[in-house]
Amino acid sequence: MTARSAALFDAARRVIPGGVNSPVRAFNSVGGTPRFITSASGAYLTDADGNELVDLICSWGPMLLGHAHPEVVAAITEAAARGTSYGAPTPAEIDLVAEIVDRTPVEQARLVNSGTEATMSVLRLARGITGRDKIVKFAGCYHGHADSLLAAAGSGLATLGIPGTPGVTAGTTADTIVLPYNDRAAVTAAFAEHGPEIAALITEASPGNMGVVPPAEGFNAFLAETARAHGALFVSDEVMTGFRVSRSGQFGLDGVEPDLMTFGKVMGGGFPCAAFGGRADLMGHLAPVGEVYQAGTLSGNPVAAAAGLTTLRLATDEVYAGLGTRADQLRAAVSEALRGAGVPHLVQSAGSMFSVFFTDADEVVDYAGASGQDTAAFAAFFHAMLDAGVHLPPSAFEAWFLSAAHDDAAIDKVITALPEAARAAARAAEDPQPKQGNDHD
Ligand SMILES: *Cc1c(COP(=O)(O)O)cnc(C)c1O
């Protein structure tokens, strides 16, 4: 039953472009009707027609503990009752930033409202500190929708097959150098040519926005060394991986110390809350101490800070270990089902974050590789899973997310749905119809 979601989608499209407030939610690349969600609890979403769906989106990462965790809800409710925004400093902000400082190499951080704001602000800071203009990023890495970072980005642009976007001036992207991921020679060459003009190299600590494409052994350390050798700052974007792939994010797995970092998603516990941080000498360039301006009416919002802090405090080593076990179980089951149906595929992971590429490649190391997927096979797989009550991310280019609330019952429901979905993918892979993908209606 999707009649109510369909009616809501019609109503939404009349007043909201495409019916959604973030493009990938619209199902353009998989077709069909997006489910309008009316409530969520633990590992499950409930849509407007009353369908209960195992949620493997988890709000694209934030819901590490599952939906409506009782302690998080209590903290939010208690904070909201004390007023929702003051425009003045609060004790809760100190606790949240202290928790981030405790878990990561950053010495200081500033809170903002979205990952986009975090990366936009951190690059302004890097440019302000170095007095240089250019930024190096990797194709397929998504750092939010700030103008200078929308060159060859992943996420929704990858899903919709958009290389860049109108509305971003040539002047803005002229200072963005885009390189293939995991390509040391390209990095070396770019710094050899533009070294003295490069303010920062920004990378997803372990990319998850072109599907999961982990850094090759030593790649992050190489990036840090290369940037520093040329007087540029190494910026690690952990908006997705931070507090998700381990207690300390990707840093907790590879130990490479960035100069500056960005965080979001999990640290907001489902609220608009993100951060950028780094060494105290670098962060000291921000106003009001230094001259680089950055501000926000709702930054450090007390309700968001309560949600984030409670989430992080509950995200213990046991939570991460449990997520890892569940992810292993699910990855193995997906592979087995797809293999059983003869569907070429590849599962790649970073901690408990993983994605499935519908490809016959042995590995995907960059955006060009990720783009070689059979998106029609994914679309068929996606819809068969949805029909069976499992909501995957509606894109072949996104990671699947688990939460601590995904218990045996939730995982069993996913595993039970896999064989039929794999057969649907096999039929679509054989179908000579043109591939679905860049569908903008
Ligand atoms: C989601 C994401 C962003 C953008 O965060 P928003 O809160 O959506 O603005 C930036 N960088 C990475 C790595 C992300 O995954």
Side-chain angles (χ1 to χ4, degrees):
M1 261 296 280
T2 57
R4 292 217 171 105
S5 278
L8 287 165
F9 194 34
D10 285 340
R13 276 186 292 193
R14 283 197 283 279
V15 291
I16 301 171
V20 292
N21 285 308
S22 197
V24 181
R25 296 179 196 168
F27 277 27
N28 277 15
S29 73
V30 291
T33 305
R35 302 299 175 86
F36 279 66
I37 306 304
T38 51
S39 69
S41 177
Y44 298 89
L45 303 169
T46 302
D47 71 15
D49 293 280
N51 301 303
E52 199 174 68
L53 308 164
V54 179
D55 181 17
L56 294 180
I57 306 178
C58 288
S59 186
W60 305 92
M63 309 319 297
L64 186 80
L65 304 175
H67 295 283
H69 187 287
E71 286 180 60
V72 178
V73 172
I76 294 164
T77 310
E78 199 264 334
R82 286 186 277 110
T84 54
S85 185
Y86 318 122
T90 61
E93 296 161 77
I94 311 171
D95 295 340
L96 178 55
V97 174
E99 180 75 28
I100 294 170
V101 166
D102 177 58
R103 286 172 175 244
T104 71
V106 309
E107 293 171 340
Q108 293 194 338
R110 179 162 281 173
L111 298 177
V112 293
N113 304 293
S114 69
T116 295
E117 242 188 281
T119 59
M120 182 187 84
S121 303
V122 87
L123 293 183
R124 181 183 310 139
L125 177 61
R127 286 169 161 151
I129 292 169
T130 59
R132 301 172 174 189
D133 290 345
K134 289 198 187 303
I135 298 295
V136 175
K137 81 173 283 283
F138 294 104
C141 280
Y142 180 68
H143 302 291
H145 67 95
D147 283 359
S148 67
L149 291 167
L150 275 181
S155 191
L157 292 97
T159 306
L160 301 174
I162 305 174
T165 170
V168 174
T169 65
T172 307
T173 49
D175 284 327
T176 306
I177 299 168
V178 183
L179 304 177
Y181 191 64
N182 271 327
D183 186 337
R184 291 188 185 216
V187 175
T188 303
F191 275 92
E193 192 181 343
H194 301 287
E197 301 160 81
I198 298 171
L201 179 152
I202 185 168
T203 184
E204 283 188 57
S206 180
N209 283 292
M210 50 178 149
V212 173
V213 178
E217 182 74 36
F219 188 61
N220 280 338
F222 162 79
L223 294 179
E225 277 164 33
T226 308
R228 282 178 197 141
H230 290 86
L233 297 170
F234 175 56
V235 182
S236 180
D237 180 353
E238 292 234 33
V239 170
M240 183 180 282
T241 51
F243 322 113
R244 157 115 349 233
V245 301
S246 83
R247 181 181 183 279
S248 306
Q250 177 66 20
F251 170 77
L253 303 181
D254 69 19
V256 177
E257 281 205 29
D259 298 304
L260 294 165
M261 299 180 81
T262 51
F263 307 101
K265 299 197 168 110
V266 170
M267 62 154 284
F271 274 75
C273 186
F276 64 104
R279 297 205 316 265
D281 63 305
L282 298 176
M283 294 302 287
H285 286 264
L286 277 181
V289 191
E291 294 188 332
V292 179
Y293 193 71
Q294 187 279 332
T297 302
L298 295 174
S299 294
N301 175 272
V303 185
L309 181 64
T310 309
T311 298
L312 290 182
R313 285 189 174 159
L314 291 168
T316 58
D317 289 339
E318 296 75 71
V319 164
Y320 291 106
L323 283 170
T325 306
R326 295 287 187 217
D328 288 347
Q329 196 186 352
L330 198 49
R331 270 200 310 259
V334 174
S335 275
E336 191 187 312
L338 289 172
R339 210 169 29 243
V343 179
H345 70 281
L346 173 69
V347 183
Q348 295 195 158
S349 55
S352 65
M353 221 170 83
F354 67 96
S355 73
V356 182
F357 294 95
F358 287 79
T359 174
D360 48 19
D362 294 333
E363 61 173 351
V364 169
V365 299
D366 59 14
Y367 186 46
S371 304
Q373 291 193 74
D374 184 345
T375 51
F378 173 79
F381 181 80
F382 169 85
H383 277 293
M385 293 299 285
L386 190 57
D387 289 345
V390 179
H391 204 322
L392 297 172
S395 165
F397 295 92
E398 303 283 355
W400 300 15
F401 291 104
L402 290 169
S403 80
H406 285 73
D407 56 6
D408 284 340
I411 298 289
D412 282 351
K413 189 168 171 183
V414 180
I415 291 176
T416 306
L418 287 169
E420 178 49 40
R423 286 191 289 275
R427 289 192 295 274
E430 283 162 15
D431 189 346
Q433 294 299 313
K435 287 177 187 172
Q436 205 163 7
N438 197 0
D439 157 17
H440 292 279
D441 69 354

